[in-house]
Amino acid sequence: MTQKTFLNSDYIEARSTHHQSVDPKNIIGVSKTDAQDALDLTQYIIDQTGPRLAGSKSCHKAAKMLKNELDDFCDQTYIEEFAVRPESFLGFTKLIAICYIISAICVLIGREGIYIAALSLFIGLLVALSQFIFYWKIFDIFYQKKKGFNVSGILEPAGEVRQQIILSGHHDSAFEFNFLKKKAQRWYSPRIFLGMIMFIVANVASYIWLIDHLIIGHEPSYVIAIKIAFIIGLLFVLPFYFFIGKKGTPGAGDNLIASTMAIKVGKMFAEERKHHVPLLTHTRLIILSNDAEEAGLRGANIYCKHHRKDLQSIPTFDFNLDSIYKLSELQFMSSDINGTIRLSKDMATECRIIAEEFGFHAKVTPIPFGGGGTDAAEFSKIGVESTTLISMSTDHNREGIVYHTMDDTVENIEPEAVEACLKIMARYIMKKEKEISKN
């Protein structure tokens, strides 16, 4: 890939004449060409690796390619191996379907079968809540262990390090979601929520029946209604067995473009240092591409565990990017993991203001329940100020969805959205550098 400077001619002239820094608002000049560079690198990696499911050889290859890019300009680069069990995160989709079938058979049998039915449903619900709603890892041990690889590069400032900013994305891609096939997208949210509601109702009904069975010792009068409800529920719960496809997606917008954009911004600041006028005096940049985000944020979780002391030693900010597609949908997250983790609303607001300074419409918003999570959550858990920039609609009822589908290609990422993200990231870094340099 050809390296290009992000700086405009005004700054280059000022730098060569005065050999000193100038107002950062006048020097960051991200162009369409810079955005295209990030898109081209994304396409190149996809062409070389294909889908990059966590734990796969293709994902490892992508990690090595990203590290090679970082080697060109970073002071230190790392590729860190960790153990991951990718299927543990969404394995609950098949499990709840199996548990429901078992419970339905036991309910139809009746009598002592209700004990097995209630236990089966309880196990399914517990796994779903643990693995997907809260992103815990209680049941990971039941799944196959594989290797994941986080990639990072560090760009040191010219002077004393007083703060650090992480630009993070993830390079693994997702399994295809069969519920998001083009003709089925309109029913994506209703199918999920109705299925889960039926599963929860089945849990409650089985517990009531079980309690009555234990107290009165025979079948209660409402058993027929429960049996009919269980049969109807099969129509809504059974499809969960086929929710996850067998193939991985190209994962361009979710989320390889985030990693290549972070690299592009890092190259900008590294290029300036070559001219002996570094833009960063007290701010360390960390370019981070996590693995296994699509497996429940496992890569970011491991990174934060391994580097917790360093991340907490000085003020640290995680500017995470995920699902970059449309300029009109710029959003900074104020919460994460289905709304259970609080992100930095102050940081999100600060970034929104920067976006508006460029004339971009953006908003600060919590992640919707059922929307999953992003890597920013893991940083927030250890006290790092974090937000995630996405540019995709989070409305439950929508069509034209490309993430988690085979249409998650570079062609479906708006270059204008990439350009906007690059500008916001660069301006945010310079703003934080200006603030820390005043102290």
Side-chain angles (χ1 to χ4, degrees):
M1 303 299 295
T2 302
Q3 294 187 22
K4 299 180 178 65
T5 179
F6 279 59
L7 304 178
N8 60 29
S9 57
D10 292 339
Y11 176 66
I12 294 174
E13 181 179 356
R15 180 189 60 205
S16 59
T17 303
H18 303 292
H19 298 284
Q20 60 185 9
S21 60
V22 295
D23 182 357
K25 287 188 177 181
N26 296 326
I27 65 174
I28 304 299
V30 177
S31 68
K32 289 182 173 62
T33 302
D34 300 315
Q36 192 60 50
D37 283 348
L39 289 165
D40 289 344
L41 178 56
T42 302
Q43 184 64 63
Y44 178 70
I45 294 175
I46 291 174
D47 289 342
Q48 296 298 310
T49 64
R52 302 168 307 284
L53 296 173
S56 67
K57 291 182 179 179
S58 59
C59 196
H60 186 195
K61 183 178 180 180
K64 289 180 177 178
M65 294 177 71
L66 291 168
K67 183 179 182 296
N68 288 339
E69 292 290 323
L70 293 171
D71 286 340
D72 288 341
F73 66 90
C74 288
D75 297 308
Q76 302 100 37
T77 61
Y78 305 91
I79 183 165
E80 300 175 88
E81 180 182 326
F82 63 94
V84 63
R85 301 174 191 268
E87 289 79 12
S88 67
F89 176 52
L90 293 174
F92 80 93
T93 56
K94 279 186 169 63
L95 180 65
I96 62 174
I98 293 171
C99 289
Y100 193 90
I101 293 172
I102 293 172
S103 66
I105 293 172
C106 292
V107 162
L108 292 176
I109 293 173
R111 298 186 180 277
E112 279 68 30
I114 189 57
Y115 293 100
I116 299 175
L119 177 62
S120 178
L121 288 168
F122 176 75
I123 291 172
L125 184 61
L126 182 64
V127 173
L129 290 172
S130 167
Q131 300 301 103
F132 181 74
I133 300 300
F134 297 107
Y135 281 49
W136 296 336
K137 306 172 186 63
I138 297 173
F139 298 96
D140 281 21
I141 59 173
F142 296 105
Y143 295 86
Q144 182 183 1
K145 184 188 295 186
K146 297 182 180 180
K147 294 179 180 179
F149 297 88
N150 289 333
V151 182
S152 60
I154 297 175
L155 197 65
E156 299 288 2
E160 175 193 11
V161 179
R162 298 180 183 173
Q163 66 179 5
Q164 51 195 359
I165 297 174
I166 304 167
L167 305 178
S168 62
H170 69 85
H171 52 269
D172 64 306
S173 63
F175 277 105
E176 181 182 19
F177 282 6
N178 289 326
F179 280 20
L180 284 175
K181 298 282 189 181
K182 286 185 177 179
K183 294 182 179 180
Q185 289 189 3
R186 180 179 299 178
W187 308 106
Y188 176 65
S189 291
R191 289 177 75 183
I192 291 175
F193 284 109
L194 284 174
M196 290 307 300
I197 288 171
M198 289 301 298
F199 193 81
I200 293 170
V201 168
N203 268 268
V204 174
S206 68
Y207 305 152
I208 293 174
W209 183 356
L210 177 61
I211 292 171
D212 273 359
H213 188 276
L214 291 172
I215 294 174
I216 65 178
H218 59 79
E219 303 293 297
S221 59
Y222 51 78
V223 166
I224 296 299
I226 290 181
K227 290 182 177 181
I228 294 172
F230 262 82
I231 294 172
I232 295 173
L234 283 170
L235 299 174
F236 298 95
V237 182
L238 187 57
F240 274 103
Y241 189 86
F242 308 99
F243 179 78
I244 306 297
K246 295 181 179 180
K247 296 180 180 180
T249 67
D254 183 19
N255 189 36
L256 187 56
I257 187 63
S259 298
T260 62
M261 285 192 296
I263 287 172
K264 186 66 181 178
V265 172
K267 284 183 177 180
M268 172 189 71
F269 291 97
E271 181 68 20
E272 284 313 289
R273 198 166 57 177
K274 290 181 180 179
H275 296 283
H276 308 292
V277 186
L279 296 176
L280 302 179
T281 304
H282 300 294
T283 305
R284 172 189 289 142
L285 277 188
I286 300 174
I287 314 302
L288 173 63
S289 185
N290 290 307
D291 197 352
E293 192 272 354
E294 301 292 354
L297 320 182
R298 300 309 197 248
N301 176 267
I302 291 295
Y303 183 86
C304 289
K305 282 184 178 179
H306 288 178
H307 299 274
R308 183 175 186 136
K309 184 177 180 180
D310 293 333
L311 295 173
Q312 295 176 336
S313 62
I314 57 175
T316 302
F317 307 88
D318 176 45
F319 192 123
N320 188 56
L321 299 105
D322 206 326
S323 301
I324 305 302
Y325 298 103
K326 295 182 177 296
L327 177 61
S328 61
E329 298 290 350
L330 293 177
Q331 302 179 65
F332 295 93
M333 299 288 101
S334 59
S335 68
D336 217 313
I337 305 187
N338 298 302
T340 64
I341 298 296
R342 183 178 299 175
L343 300 182
S344 172
K345 191 170 184 179
D346 289 343
M347 183 177 177
T349 301
E350 187 176 12
C351 291
R352 177 188 61 77
I353 293 171
I354 290 173
E356 291 176 348
E357 288 174 354
F358 283 109
F360 306 132
H361 173 71
K363 60 183 179 180
V364 174
T365 184
I367 199 165
F369 182 78
T374 75
D375 284 335
E378 297 299 330
F379 290 92
S380 183
K381 287 179 183 179
I382 63 169
V384 172
E385 197 166 345
S386 312
T387 190
T388 293
L389 168 58
I390 69 171
S391 59
M392 177 186 73
S393 174
T394 56
D395 292 340
H396 284 301
N397 294 315
R398 65 188 192 276
E399 295 186 32
I401 301 171
V402 298
Y403 95 121
H404 290 214
T405 75
M406 302 310 292
D407 290 326
D408 190 2
T409 60
V410 168
E411 289 76 14
N412 285 312
I413 302 173
E414 293 180 355
E416 296 82 4
V418 176
E419 185 179 348
C421 291
L422 292 173
K423 288 180 176 180
I424 295 166
M425 280 192 288
R427 178 69 62 82
Y428 176 78
I429 293 167
M430 291 307 303
K431 182 177 184 294
K432 301 305 288 186
E433 167 64 24
K434 186 175 181 181
E435 290 172 357
I436 201 72
S437 296
K438 286 182 179 179
N439 299 329

